[in-house]
Amino acid sequence: MTSHVEDANRRDFLVVAGNAFAAVGAASLIWPFVQQMNPDASAKALASTEIDLAPVKEGQAITVMWRGKPVFIRNRTKDEIDAAAKVELSELPDREARNDGLSGAEPAVDANRVLKGHENWLVLVGICTHLGCIPKGQSMNDARGDFGGWFCPCHGSHYDTAGRVRKGPAPRNLEVPPYAFISDSKIKIG
Amino acid sequence: MSGHSSSYQPTSRWGKWWDERLPVARMMHGQFVDFPTPRNLNYMWTFGGILMFCLVAQIVTGIVLAMHYQPSDTAAFNSIEHIRRDVNYGWMLRSFHAVGASMFFIAVFLHIFRGLYYGSYKAPREVLWILGVIILLVMMATAFLGYTLPWGQMSFWGVTVITNLFSALDTIWDGLGTGIVEWLWGGYSVSGVTLNRFFSLHYLLPFVLTGVVILHIWALHVAGQNNPTGLDIKQPAETVPMHPYATSKDIVAMFAFLTLFAWFAFFLPDYLGHADNYIEANPLVTPPHIVPEWYFLPFYAILRAFTGSFLGIPLGSYAKLFGVVAMFGSVIILAFAPWLDSSRVRSAKYRPMYRMAFWAFAFTCVALGYLGSKPADGVYVLWAQIFTVLYFAFFLVAMPVLGLIETPRKLPKSINDAVLGSGGHGMPAGATAAPETR
């Protein structure tokens, strides 16, 4: 066949170029069909939430909504802070801080899970890192698991008083959302 | 079988006109009327027809329900109650659809166990079998999407847990799993956006299922049906025409099946569901005990068997990934059965050791189902781990090894020998209507 073609290279080029354009065209047509399923701008808009912490007494906890997710805020007691600070890094299944307020991967010591000067306030996304259930432990009479933090009833993950996973199938510590104190008793999440 | 030609003879001018242009009647006659079926099929071979009925029933009731259902997070829950209380005969149609899903799975599980017992997955039926596994996967996806729609607590948290399975991929590549999950949700949590797209897909998948079912039947009619002896058909006298022989047996089984169906649909419409699903979805409260529908329980038990450690082996942060891989693997491994089984004998009737392994496997599936319904702690986890090992051992140990060490019982020379005793060569009395011209 090729012997009849005056310029085989020219024909090959046309075939490759034609197919390449068709592939790019197909891909750019598929992309909108895939992308339409992702969160849109209205969902992405970082709706930040301001919360007044004044009514939350020591040992109490509240749950607020942020981006459609529950956020746990616990005013930790002295004992709870001490228990969390005492834990060696080697005892943790997940040794990363999982704190969105920190840049890069920091070790999961208690200091990296809270804001400096506000060590009693623990702010966490209240979604179990296993399969997304809401762990128990916010209410005073909830089961708080073996480590005094939270306990996920779905598949039995235990979290400690710094929201770090200690036991069970959850692979990660509870996420710390980005937040800041805008006054002594008010925080802004997001 | 593939060479089987239809004996269709159009009688009317209208029939002849069509036969020359689009011979659908000829094809249907050849495939479903005079198609040769083994003469020794037992009642375990009636589930194909029953499953066909289930698929059609789910599509018909589903299309009607979609005329009254509203896929929005604010209206979905109430629209289900509207269907049950206000829509004329809505209570009945919804029961048929909800109970129908369970009945569909009862039939498909028995159909699969039949295939495993009689070796229906072995050559030359591998493609037929793999299409069946694909059908099971699409059925499971459809059932899962459909269970979201009532938007009760179990719907919501079931979706949350199952979609979160994909986040296990974060262990392999950070952000991959989370990206997929948010793509599925269309947000940062399960919401009305998720419900809307799940409704769309729940409507789509049954038609995909229909397409795969057509391929499944096509593959079946190329290889021909297996039979309780597992022997190949050697002569036409070992077959009877599908109609009226196989079809009449199908109808008897269908009536028994429909009796059970009607009993659930009319007397126990909610028995197979969960009371928690009559509480509207609440993203702030997880029900204390999340369980999927009964037909997912064995797979759910396998998922949960992988806690921080598995039978004493620490898994660390890989526990979740292993659980997810094992759960999907427990279905997908079925597709490899044709190559995992090393025995040339098909039917467990002639394989004493495989038959024991089969019943142990059946017990394992039931035990996993029970464990899946129990809370994931204490002794239940240990048993779930043991039975998970046994589940996979059936495919990865029993299937390859038994074929090498087992001595099969003596096989009959042919289907006719098995049915009539070794002396019989003639036609059985019951099959005189079989045209001997074929």
Side-chain angles (χ1 to χ4, degrees):
Chain A
M1 282 298 284
T2 45
S3 60
H4 299 293
V5 179
E6 281 182 29
D7 188 349
N9 286 336
R10 187 165 170 270
R11 173 167 288 190
D12 286 351
F13 174 78
L14 286 173
V15 170
V16 170
N19 284 336
F21 268 90
V24 171
S28 52
L29 186 64
I30 290 166
W31 181 241
F33 285 87
V34 175
Q35 188 61 17
Q36 55 84 20
M37 281 179 69
N38 268 323
D40 60 22
S42 71
K44 268 184 181 164
L46 265 181
S48 53
T49 315
E50 288 183 18
I51 299 113
D52 184 11
L53 300 180
V56 188
K57 303 275 175 296
E58 188 178 301
Q60 289 185 333
I62 56 166
T63 306
V64 297
M65 288 294 270
W66 171 69
R67 274 181 161 192
K69 299 174 183 181
V71 170
F72 292 166
I73 302 172
R74 195 190 274 193
N75 190 350
R76 299 190 293 176
T77 62
K78 182 88 177 51
D79 288 349
E80 287 174 336
I81 300 169
D82 289 348
K86 233 173 35 200
V87 178
E88 293 291 328
L89 217 49
S90 58
E91 296 173 51
L92 299 171
D94 177 21
R95 290 173 199 175
E96 284 187 36
R98 309 290 173 196
N99 185 341
D100 296 344
L102 300 174
S103 53
E106 301 284 339
V109 292
D110 189 55
N112 281 335
R113 303 278 295 163
V114 291
L115 291 187
K116 200 166 164 54
H118 301 280
E119 280 83 0
N120 58 324
W121 293 105
L122 181 62
V123 181
L124 304 165
V125 174
I127 292 179
C128 180
T129 56
H130 181 227
L131 294 173
C133 295
I134 313 287
K136 295 268 169 205
Q138 284 296 90
S139 159
M140 283 298 195
N141 40 20
D142 275 355
R144 287 182 165 180
D146 296 352
F147 301 90
W150 288 267
F151 170 70
C152 183
C154 291
H155 308 97
S157 291
H158 299 251
Y159 296 93
D160 67 11
T161 52
R164 296 170 297 196
V165 63
R166 300 293 293 278
K167 194 177 155 187
R172 292 169 180 224
N173 302 326
L174 291 175
E175 185 189 346
V176 178
Y179 71 98
F181 277 81
I182 48 176
S183 75
D184 279 350
S185 66
K186 246 188 178 175
I187 61 166
K188 184 177 167 191
I189 305 174
Chain B
M1 296 301 129
S2 49
H4 164 73
S5 63
S6 178
S7 65
Y8 177 69
Q9 289 294 341
T11 47
S12 63
R13 283 180 67 186
W14 175 241
K16 282 180 187 138
W17 189 90
W18 270 105
D19 199 43
E20 285 162 9
R21 286 162 180 79
L22 186 69
V24 171
R26 175 176 295 277
M27 190 266 281
M28 295 304 281
H29 188 90
Q31 297 301 317
F32 302 104
V33 178
D34 65 7
F35 189 79
T37 57
R39 64 197 263 181
N40 58 338
L41 295 187
N42 63 27
Y43 274 106
M44 288 309 289
W45 264 265
T46 58
F47 288 100
I50 286 170
L51 285 162
M52 201 66 222
F53 166 82
C54 286
L55 178 60
V56 172
Q58 288 302 88
I59 289 177
V60 170
T61 53
I63 286 172
V64 175
L65 288 172
M67 294 178 185
H68 304 280
Y69 172 76
Q70 290 177 291
S72 105
D73 55 348
T74 49
F77 186 78
N78 289 333
S79 76
I80 298 284
E81 289 312 303
H82 164 68
I83 289 169
R84 296 196 79 177
R85 293 153 196 257
D86 304 338
V87 175
N88 299 333
Y89 293 100
W91 58 273
M92 186 177 86
L93 296 165
R94 197 214 71 111
S95 289
F96 283 176
H97 197 71
V99 170
S102 283
M103 300 308 290
F104 206 159
F105 275 98
I106 290 175
V108 89
F109 287 151
L110 290 170
H111 192 66
I112 293 167
F113 279 122
R114 190 284 317 273
L116 287 173
Y117 186 86
Y118 292 110
S120 301
Y121 48 87
K122 292 185 195 181
R125 298 187 182 83
E126 302 95 322
V127 173
L128 169 63
W129 176 259
I130 290 169
L131 287 166
V133 177
I134 294 170
I135 288 171
L136 176 64
L137 284 168
V138 177
M139 263 181 76
M140 292 171 89
T142 311
F144 161 70
L145 293 169
Y147 195 62
T148 315
L149 306 184
W151 209 238
Q153 275 288 67
M154 278 295 177
S155 298
F156 185 90
W157 291 101
V159 176
T160 301
V161 167
I162 301 300
T163 48
N164 260 310
L165 294 179
F166 291 97
S167 67
L169 296 173
D170 278 345
T171 322
I172 301 172
W173 185 11
D174 202 32
L176 173 68
T178 311
I180 291 174
V181 172
E182 284 173 3
W183 179 72
L184 289 172
W185 288 342
Y188 300 102
S189 58
V190 175
S191 66
V193 178
T194 323
L195 174 63
N196 216 158
R197 61 185 58 183
F198 277 21
F199 175 63
S200 170
L201 294 171
H202 181 68
Y203 207 123
L204 164 74
L205 285 187
F207 299 99
V208 174
L209 198 55
T210 307
V212 188
V213 166
I214 289 170
L215 294 178
H216 189 65
I217 296 172
W218 187 355
L220 172 71
H221 283 211
V222 170
Q225 282 161 294
N226 187 25
N227 64 81
T229 64
L231 299 172
D232 288 327
I233 288 163
K234 296 203 174 73
Q235 48 166 316
E238 289 174 342
T239 66
V240 288
M242 182 158 172
H243 183 73
Y245 295 97
T247 46
S248 53
K249 199 162 197 158
D250 276 351
I251 286 168
V252 174
M254 184 93 78
F255 272 103
F257 182 79
L258 287 178
T259 307
L260 186 68
F261 193 133
W263 184 57
F264 272 114
F266 290 109
F267 299 124
L268 298 166
D270 288 316
Y271 181 76
L272 298 165
H274 299 286
D276 271 312
N277 224 25
Y278 286 97
I279 303 168
E280 193 168 1
N282 179 356
L284 280 179
V285 181
T286 306
H289 185 43
I290 300 183
V291 259
E293 292 284 86
W294 69 267
Y295 39 81
F296 289 144
L297 288 174
F299 310 105
Y300 193 58
I302 291 175
L303 168 76
R304 295 193 309 181
F306 293 83
T307 53
S309 66
F310 188 84
L311 292 174
I313 307 157
L315 300 175
S317 60
Y318 283 93
K320 176 165 149 184
L321 183 65
F322 279 128
V324 172
V325 168
M327 188 186 75
F328 284 111
S330 66
V331 181
I332 291 170
I333 200 166
L334 280 165
F336 295 94
W339 295 278
L340 289 170
D341 193 328
S342 58
S343 174
R344 288 214 198 128
V345 179
R346 289 201 190 101
S347 175
K349 214 171 164 179
Y350 305 105
R351 299 187 59 195
M353 290 169 86
Y354 176 78
R355 189 162 56 193
M356 283 194 288
F358 170 86
W359 287 113
F361 174 71
F363 178 78
T364 299
C365 293
V366 174
L368 282 170
Y370 168 76
L371 292 165
S373 72
K374 292 286 154 195
D377 51 33
V379 74
Y380 294 125
V381 174
L382 177 67
W383 280 110
Q385 293 174 344
I386 292 169
F387 280 111
T388 297
V389 170
L390 290 175
Y391 182 98
F392 286 99
F394 174 71
F395 293 98
L396 298 174
V397 180
M399 276 193 168
V401 173
L402 289 186
L404 305 175
I405 61 170
E406 162 184 75
T407 314
R409 285 174 51 200
K410 191 171 178 297
L411 289 169
K413 283 197 190 69
S414 66
I415 294 173
N416 265 0
D417 272 5
V419 177
L420 307 170
S422 53
H425 296 290
M427 297 295 293
T432 46
E436 298 195 33
T437 48
R438 285 186 306 108

